[in-house]
Amino acid sequence: MAYAYDDQNVFAKILRDEIPCRKVLETGHTLAFEDIRPLAPVHVLVIPKGAYVNFDHFGAEASAEEIADFTRTVARLCADLGVAPGGEGNGYRLIANAGTAGVQEVPHLHFHILGGRVLGPMLVRRD
Ligand code: AMP
């Protein structure tokens, strides 16, 4: 697998503080901020600070420390945002789009945390 990372993508610019974001949480390896076009009452994006194009790139090449930090941060956000069903929340959906078929708009790995309402079916059937 060979991925070329485009350091001019919008999330790379956010990480370099070249454009602003509505920050939710930051750790040593991870940044979370509000999606600029929210699709649900809770819509937060979580990105690793490292230059990874998508999840399979991250899973293959990130350090154990980066992966642990990212995963723990997603879990902490689900709790902090009040959507974790193990707490007071009603649940959430995690989405990580990749590539053309996944309709990925920004080529820097990001998880969408969506919640705050019943989100409906995962996908609409085409058949
Ligand atoms: P995806 O289609 O999975 O690549 O999703 C990219 C997401 O990034 C979309 O939900 C956009 O609304 C969001 N987005 C694009 N630019 C920004 C930005 N400057 N700040 C916050 N979210 C953004």
Side-chain angles (χ1 to χ4, degrees), residues 42-55:
V42 173
H43 191 169
V44 169
L45 301 175
V46 194
I47 68 173
K49 291 184 176 178
Y52 302 104
V53 173
N54 61 26
F55 187 74

Side-chain angles (χ1 to χ4, degrees), residues 35-44 95 97 112-115 117-119:
D35 196 292
I36 204 166
R37 295 190 298 270
L39 296 171
V42 173
H43 191 169
V44 169
I95 297 176
N97 295 317
H112 300 252
I113 301 176
L114 294 150
R117 66 171 169 82
V118 176
L119 296 164

Side-chain angles (χ1 to χ4, degrees), residues 10-11 14 19 33-37 43 45 97 103-106 110 112:
V10 67
F11 296 168
I14 286 174
I19 60 173
F33 52 92
E34 292 179 7
D35 196 292
I36 204 166
R37 295 190 298 270
H43 191 169
L45 301 175
N97 295 317
V103 195
Q104 181 179 10
E105 178 189 327
V106 180
H110 49 284
H112 300 252

Side-chain angles (χ1 to χ4, degrees), residues 7 15 29-31 40 53 58 68 78-80 82 93 101 116-117 126:
D7 68 4
L15 285 165
H29 293 290
T30 307
L31 178 67
V53 173
F58 181 70
C78 291
D80 289 356
R93 185 170 293 159
R117 66 171 169 82
R126 287 278 169 87

